[in-house]
Amino acid sequence: MNSLVLVSSQRFVDHVTPVGHPERPERAEVLSAVANAFKALGGEVIEPRLATDEDLLRVHTQEHVDAIVATRGKATLIDEDTFTSPDSEEVARLAAGAVMTGVARALDGPKGSRALVLVRPPGHHAEADRAMGFCLYNSIAVGAAYARSRGCARVAIVDYDVHHGNGTQWIFYEDSTVLFVSSHQYPFYPGTGAASERGRGEGLGFTLNVPLDAGARDDEIEQKYAELVIPAMRQFKPDLLMVSAGFDAHEMDPLGQLRMTTEGFSRLTKALLSAAEDLCEGRVVLVTEGGYDLDALKACLQEVIRVSSTP
Ligand SMILES: [Zn+2]
Protein backbone atom coordinates (compact mmCIF):
# COMPACT_ATOMS: atom_id res chain seq x y z
CA MET A 1 0.00 0.00 0.00
CA ASN A 2 1.36 3.37 -0.97
CA SER A 3 0.94 6.56 0.98
CA LEU A 4 1.51 10.02 -0.43
CA VAL A 5 2.31 13.18 1.53
CA LEU A 6 2.68 16.67 0.13
CA VAL A 7 5.27 19.09 1.46
CA SER A 8 4.02 22.65 1.08
CA SER A 9 4.36 26.14 2.56
CA GLN A 10 2.75 29.53 2.06
CA ARG A 11 6.27 31.00 2.15
CA PHE A 12 7.08 30.05 -1.45
CA VAL A 13 5.16 33.08 -2.73
CA ASP A 14 7.69 35.38 -1.03
CA HIS A 15 10.47 34.95 -3.60
CA VAL A 16 9.65 37.85 -5.90
CA THR A 17 11.00 38.19 -9.45
CA PRO A 18 10.67 41.18 -11.80
CA VAL A 19 7.35 41.75 -13.58
CA GLY A 20 7.13 39.57 -16.68
CA HIS A 21 9.54 36.92 -15.35
CA PRO A 22 8.20 33.40 -16.06
CA GLU A 23 9.27 32.05 -12.65
CA ARG A 24 6.73 34.25 -10.86
CA PRO A 25 4.99 34.22 -7.47
CA GLU A 26 1.72 33.10 -9.10
CA ARG A 27 3.36 29.69 -9.52
CA ALA A 28 3.37 29.40 -5.71
CA GLU A 29 -0.36 30.13 -5.68
CA VAL A 30 -0.86 27.10 -7.95
CA LEU A 31 1.27 24.97 -5.63
CA SER A 32 -0.74 26.11 -2.60
CA ALA A 33 -4.07 25.57 -4.37
CA VAL A 34 -3.04 22.01 -5.27
CA ALA A 35 -1.96 21.33 -1.66
CA ASN A 36 -5.19 22.79 -0.26
CA ALA A 37 -7.32 20.67 -2.59
CA PHE A 38 -5.39 17.54 -1.55
CA LYS A 39 -5.89 18.43 2.12
CA ALA A 40 -9.61 19.05 1.63
CA LEU A 41 -9.93 15.48 0.35
CA GLY A 42 -8.24 14.15 3.50
CA GLY A 43 -4.66 14.08 2.20
CA GLU A 44 -1.69 14.74 4.46
CA VAL A 45 0.20 18.00 3.87
CA ILE A 46 3.29 18.74 5.96
CA GLU A 47 5.29 21.91 6.53
CA PRO A 48 8.93 21.92 5.44
CA ARG A 49 11.90 22.65 7.61
CA LEU A 50 14.69 25.08 6.73
CA ALA A 51 17.94 23.63 5.43
CA THR A 52 20.87 24.48 7.70
CA ASP A 53 24.26 25.64 6.43
CA GLU A 54 25.51 22.10 7.07
CA ASP A 55 22.77 20.71 4.84
CA LEU A 56 23.56 23.15 2.01
CA LEU A 57 27.30 22.57 2.32
CA ARG A 58 26.89 18.88 1.43
CA VAL A 59 26.57 20.07 -2.17
CA HIS A 60 27.46 23.79 -2.26
CA THR A 61 30.68 25.63 -1.51
CA GLN A 62 30.93 27.93 1.49
CA GLU A 63 31.55 30.81 -0.93
CA HIS A 64 28.29 30.10 -2.73
CA VAL A 65 26.24 29.92 0.47
CA ASP A 66 27.88 33.15 1.68
CA ALA A 67 27.06 34.86 -1.63
CA ILE A 68 23.37 33.90 -1.47
CA VAL A 69 23.14 34.77 2.24
CA ALA A 70 24.57 38.20 1.34
CA THR A 71 21.43 38.87 -0.77
CA ARG A 72 19.16 38.73 2.32
CA GLY A 73 17.06 41.86 2.61
CA LYS A 74 17.94 43.04 -0.87
CA ALA A 75 16.77 42.86 -4.47
CA THR A 76 19.72 41.71 -6.58
CA LEU A 77 20.44 40.51 -10.10
CA ILE A 78 22.67 37.42 -10.21
CA ASP A 79 22.60 36.86 -13.97
CA GLU A 80 20.32 37.97 -16.79
CA ASP A 81 17.49 35.72 -15.64
CA THR A 82 18.25 34.98 -11.98
CA PHE A 83 17.11 37.48 -9.36
CA THR A 84 16.65 37.75 -5.61
CA SER A 85 14.19 39.72 -3.51
CA PRO A 86 14.59 40.42 0.23
CA ASP A 87 13.17 37.01 1.28
CA SER A 88 14.61 34.89 -1.55
CA GLU A 89 17.49 33.37 0.40
CA GLU A 90 15.18 32.11 3.13
CA VAL A 91 12.61 30.86 0.61
CA ALA A 92 15.29 28.98 -1.37
CA ARG A 93 16.65 27.54 1.88
CA LEU A 94 13.11 26.41 2.74
CA ALA A 95 12.81 24.77 -0.70
CA ALA A 96 15.99 22.78 -0.05
CA GLY A 97 14.75 21.92 3.46
CA ALA A 98 11.40 20.84 2.00
CA VAL A 99 13.11 18.20 -0.13
CA MET A 100 14.83 16.92 3.01
CA THR A 101 11.44 16.81 4.76
CA GLY A 102 10.15 14.72 1.86
CA VAL A 103 13.20 12.44 1.93
CA ALA A 104 12.81 11.92 5.68
CA ARG A 105 9.22 10.85 5.14
CA ALA A 106 10.14 8.47 2.31
CA LEU A 107 12.91 6.88 4.40
CA ASP A 108 11.18 6.77 7.79
CA GLY A 109 7.63 6.05 6.67
CA PRO A 110 6.26 2.60 5.88
CA LYS A 111 7.09 0.83 2.62
CA GLY A 112 5.73 2.72 -0.35
CA SER A 113 6.00 6.16 1.27
CA ARG A 114 6.00 8.84 -1.39
CA ALA A 115 6.39 12.59 -1.08
CA LEU A 116 5.55 15.34 -3.55
CA VAL A 117 7.51 18.46 -2.64
CA LEU A 118 5.84 21.64 -3.93
CA VAL A 119 8.50 24.33 -4.03
CA ARG A 120 9.85 27.35 -5.85
CA PRO A 121 12.29 28.68 -6.90
CA PRO A 122 13.47 25.63 -8.88
CA GLY A 123 16.91 24.26 -8.07
CA HIS A 124 18.36 21.95 -10.73
CA HIS A 125 20.45 24.59 -12.54
CA ALA A 126 22.24 25.71 -9.36
CA GLU A 127 25.80 24.35 -9.36
CA ALA A 128 28.08 23.78 -6.38
CA ASP A 129 29.47 27.29 -6.65
CA ARG A 130 26.91 29.31 -8.56
CA ALA A 131 23.27 30.28 -8.91
CA MET A 132 21.85 30.34 -12.43
CA GLY A 133 18.70 29.78 -14.49
CA PHE A 134 16.23 30.97 -11.80
CA CYS A 135 17.88 28.62 -9.25
CA LEU A 136 19.70 29.67 -6.05
CA TYR A 137 20.26 26.42 -4.14
CA ASN A 138 20.05 22.97 -5.74
CA SER A 139 17.20 21.60 -3.66
CA ILE A 140 17.06 18.07 -5.09
CA ALA A 141 20.85 17.70 -4.75
CA VAL A 142 20.63 18.84 -1.12
CA GLY A 143 17.91 16.21 -0.62
CA ALA A 144 19.90 13.44 -2.31
CA ALA A 145 23.00 14.25 -0.25
CA TYR A 146 20.85 14.22 2.88
CA ALA A 147 19.52 10.77 1.91
CA ARG A 148 23.11 9.56 1.48
CA SER A 149 24.01 10.99 4.92
CA ARG A 150 21.05 9.04 6.34
CA GLY A 151 22.51 5.76 5.09
CA CYS A 152 20.94 5.42 1.65
CA ALA A 153 23.62 3.61 -0.34
CA ARG A 154 22.31 4.60 -3.79
CA VAL A 155 20.01 7.41 -4.89
CA ALA A 156 18.62 7.74 -8.43
CA ILE A 157 17.55 11.19 -9.64
CA VAL A 158 15.44 11.37 -12.81
CA ASP A 159 14.94 14.88 -14.24
CA TYR A 160 12.16 15.30 -16.81
CA ASP A 161 12.19 19.12 -16.83
CA VAL A 162 12.57 20.46 -20.41
CA HIS A 163 15.96 21.93 -19.47
CA HIS A 164 19.08 19.92 -18.72
CA GLY A 165 19.70 19.63 -14.96
CA ASN A 166 23.28 20.86 -15.23
CA GLY A 167 23.64 21.69 -11.54
CA THR A 168 22.59 18.25 -10.38
CA GLN A 169 24.75 16.62 -13.06
CA TRP A 170 27.96 18.39 -12.11
CA ILE A 171 27.41 18.04 -8.37
CA PHE A 172 27.27 14.23 -8.70
CA TYR A 173 29.39 13.85 -11.86
CA GLU A 174 32.19 11.89 -10.17
CA ASP A 175 29.89 10.07 -7.74
CA SER A 176 28.91 6.43 -8.33
CA THR A 177 26.36 6.49 -5.49
CA VAL A 178 24.00 8.89 -7.25
CA LEU A 179 22.61 8.00 -10.69
CA PHE A 180 21.58 11.16 -12.53
CA VAL A 181 19.29 10.83 -15.54
CA SER A 182 18.05 13.86 -17.47
CA SER A 183 15.75 14.01 -20.50
CA HIS A 184 15.58 17.46 -22.05
CA GLN A 185 15.22 19.50 -25.22
CA TYR A 186 18.64 19.69 -26.87
CA PRO A 187 20.30 21.90 -27.92
CA PHE A 188 18.65 24.31 -25.51
CA TYR A 189 19.36 26.24 -22.31
CA PRO A 190 21.79 25.80 -20.54
CA GLY A 191 23.71 24.15 -23.42
CA THR A 192 24.87 21.03 -21.58
CA GLY A 193 23.30 17.57 -21.59
CA ALA A 194 24.80 15.85 -24.64
CA ALA A 195 24.55 12.05 -24.62
CA SER A 196 28.36 11.98 -24.45
CA GLU A 197 28.28 13.46 -20.90
CA ARG A 198 28.28 10.21 -18.90
CA GLY A 199 30.16 11.01 -15.69
CA ARG A 200 33.82 11.04 -14.81
CA GLY A 201 36.21 8.92 -12.75
CA GLU A 202 34.28 6.79 -10.24
CA GLY A 203 31.12 8.40 -11.58
CA LEU A 204 31.64 7.29 -15.19
CA GLY A 205 28.44 5.61 -16.35
CA PHE A 206 26.35 7.10 -13.53
CA THR A 207 25.14 10.08 -15.57
CA LEU A 208 22.68 9.41 -18.40
CA ASN A 209 21.59 12.20 -20.71
CA VAL A 210 18.65 11.73 -23.07
CA PRO A 211 18.64 14.71 -25.45
CA LEU A 212 15.40 15.32 -27.35
CA ASP A 213 14.71 17.31 -30.51
CA ALA A 214 12.42 20.32 -30.29
CA GLY A 215 8.91 19.15 -31.15
CA ALA A 216 9.29 15.69 -29.59
CA ARG A 217 5.99 14.22 -28.44
CA ASP A 218 4.74 11.84 -25.77
CA ASP A 219 5.25 8.58 -27.68
CA GLU A 220 8.88 9.33 -28.57
CA ILE A 221 9.71 10.44 -25.03
CA GLU A 222 7.96 7.51 -23.40
CA GLN A 223 9.84 5.15 -25.71
CA LYS A 224 13.18 6.66 -24.59
CA TYR A 225 12.16 6.09 -20.99
CA ALA A 226 11.23 2.48 -21.70
CA GLU A 227 14.42 1.78 -23.68
CA LEU A 228 17.00 3.81 -21.76
CA VAL A 229 15.86 5.32 -18.48
CA ILE A 230 14.01 2.46 -16.79
CA PRO A 231 16.73 -0.09 -17.72
CA ALA A 232 19.40 2.26 -16.29
CA MET A 233 17.42 2.49 -13.07
CA ARG A 234 17.05 -1.30 -12.93
CA GLN A 235 20.76 -1.78 -13.39
CA PHE A 236 21.58 0.80 -10.69
CA LYS A 237 19.16 -0.58 -8.05
CA PRO A 238 18.54 2.60 -6.06
CA ASP A 239 17.40 2.69 -2.44
CA LEU A 240 15.46 5.87 -3.17
CA LEU A 241 14.11 7.45 -6.36
CA MET A 242 13.98 11.22 -6.61
CA VAL A 243 12.35 13.04 -9.52
CA SER A 244 13.05 16.59 -10.70
CA ALA A 245 9.47 17.06 -11.81
CA GLY A 246 9.52 20.06 -14.08
CA PHE A 247 6.47 20.48 -16.33
CA ASP A 248 7.95 22.87 -18.88
CA ALA A 249 8.18 20.04 -21.45
CA HIS A 250 4.38 20.46 -21.72
CA GLU A 251 3.03 21.54 -25.11
CA MET A 252 1.44 24.62 -23.48
CA ASP A 253 4.69 25.82 -21.91
CA PRO A 254 5.94 29.22 -23.10
CA LEU A 255 9.66 28.38 -22.67
CA GLY A 256 10.15 24.85 -24.01
CA GLN A 257 9.41 23.41 -27.43
CA LEU A 258 8.68 19.82 -26.47
CA ARG A 259 5.11 18.67 -26.99
CA MET A 260 4.27 16.54 -23.98
CA THR A 261 0.65 16.39 -22.85
CA THR A 262 -0.72 16.19 -19.33
CA GLU A 263 -1.54 12.51 -20.01
CA GLY A 264 2.06 11.98 -21.14
CA PHE A 265 3.38 13.34 -17.85
CA SER A 266 0.91 11.11 -16.06
CA ARG A 267 2.13 7.96 -17.84
CA LEU A 268 5.80 8.91 -17.49
CA THR A 269 5.42 9.48 -13.76
CA LYS A 270 3.52 6.23 -13.42
CA ALA A 271 6.31 4.34 -15.20
CA LEU A 272 8.86 5.76 -12.76
CA LEU A 273 6.70 4.95 -9.74
CA SER A 274 6.19 1.43 -11.04
CA ALA A 275 9.94 0.89 -11.43
CA ALA A 276 10.44 2.21 -7.90
CA GLU A 277 7.95 -0.38 -6.62
CA ASP A 278 10.25 -3.14 -7.85
CA LEU A 279 13.54 -1.45 -7.01
CA CYS A 280 13.21 0.52 -3.77
CA GLU A 281 9.98 -0.53 -2.07
CA GLY A 282 8.20 2.39 -3.71
CA ARG A 283 10.19 5.07 -1.90
CA VAL A 284 9.92 8.13 -4.14
CA VAL A 285 10.37 11.87 -3.65
CA LEU A 286 9.10 14.12 -6.46
CA VAL A 287 10.24 17.73 -6.44
CA THR A 288 8.85 20.56 -8.58
CA GLU A 289 11.28 22.37 -10.88
CA GLY A 290 10.11 24.41 -13.92
CA GLY A 291 6.65 24.66 -15.49
CA TYR A 292 5.55 28.11 -16.59
CA ASP A 293 2.05 27.69 -17.98
CA LEU A 294 -0.05 27.86 -14.83
CA ASP A 295 -2.90 25.70 -16.15
CA ALA A 296 -0.52 23.00 -17.39
CA LEU A 297 1.40 23.14 -14.09
CA LYS A 298 -1.80 22.63 -12.12
CA ALA A 299 -3.14 19.87 -14.38
CA CYS A 300 0.18 17.98 -14.32
CA LEU A 301 0.45 18.21 -10.53
CA GLN A 302 -3.09 16.91 -10.15
CA GLU A 303 -2.17 13.95 -12.39
CA VAL A 304 1.03 13.28 -10.44
CA ILE A 305 -1.02 13.26 -7.24
CA ARG A 306 -3.59 10.96 -8.79
CA VAL A 307 -1.09 8.37 -10.01
CA SER A 308 0.96 8.65 -6.80
CA SER A 309 -2.09 8.08 -4.62
CA THR A 310 -3.07 4.90 -6.42
CA PRO A 311 -1.68 1.67 -4.96
ZN1 LIG B 1 13.03 23.99 -16.88
Side-chain angles (χ1 to χ4, degrees), residues 19-255:
V19 173
H21 195 288
E23 208 295 281
R24 56 206 189 276
E26 288 80 357
R27 297 182 71 244
E29 293 168 11
V30 171
L31 304 181
S32 289
V34 166
N36 289 338
F38 182 72
K39 202 172 186 173
L41 291 172
E44 189 182 1
V45 181
I46 53 179
E47 286 284 326
R49 73 170 175 90
L50 276 172
T52 63
D53 281 5
E54 184 190 350
D55 298 326
L56 298 173
L57 291 169
R58 290 195 187 98
V59 304
H60 289 294
T61 63
Q62 183 71 56
E63 292 71 22
H64 177 69
V65 174
D66 291 346
I68 303 303
V69 167
T71 71
R72 281 182 190 166
K74 292 185 269 191
T76 71
L77 179 156
I78 293 176
D79 67 27
E80 61 188 9
D81 50 28
T82 311
F83 300 84
T84 70
S85 61
D87 286 349
S88 294
E89 196 279 334
E90 191 184 324
V91 173
R93 192 179 278 263
L94 192 64
V99 182
M100 297 170 56
T101 299
V103 167
R105 174 55 73 108
L107 297 185
D108 300 335
K111 258 165 66 165
S113 292
R114 298 165 173 169
L116 172 60
V117 183
L118 299 167
V119 295
R120 67 176 284 272
H124 70 154
H125 295 306
E127 300 185 352
D129 60 355
R130 71 163 168 164
M132 62 180 275
F134 316 164
C135 305
L136 304 176
Y137 296 129
N138 194 317
S139 302
I140 200 160
V142 169
Y146 168 69
R148 290 276 300 120
S149 80
R150 289 278 319 270
C152 252
R154 284 179 303 281
V155 179
I157 302 174
V158 175
D159 183 329
Y160 59 49
D161 188 281
V162 78
H163 302 99
H164 179 235
N166 60 294
T168 317
Q169 169 170 302
W170 299 131
I171 285 167
F172 298 114
Y173 208 55
E174 298 184 35
D175 190 338
S176 62
T177 67
V178 177
L179 173 71
F180 177 66
V181 180
S182 180
S183 61
H184 43 269
Q185 184 176 331
Y186 184 87
F188 198 43
Y189 182 88
T192 47
S196 58
E197 294 164 23
R198 299 182 55 244
R200 188 189 299 130
E202 299 250 308
L204 184 62
F206 295 91
T207 292
L208 172 63
N209 282 298
V210 181
L212 301 161
D213 293 332
R217 293 175 184 275
D218 288 340
D219 52 352
E220 182 187 335
I221 296 167
E222 288 171 50
Q223 194 180 348
K224 298 268 192 195
Y225 271 72
E227 288 173 1
L228 298 172
V229 177
I230 304 292
M233 287 170 59
R234 290 195 187 284
Q235 191 175 9
F236 182 67
K237 298 186 177 66
D239 299 301
L240 174 69
L241 170 65
M242 301 183 73
V243 181
S244 266
F247 301 104
D248 41 10
H250 196 282
E251 60 185 355
M252 299 295 290
D253 195 86
L255 299 193

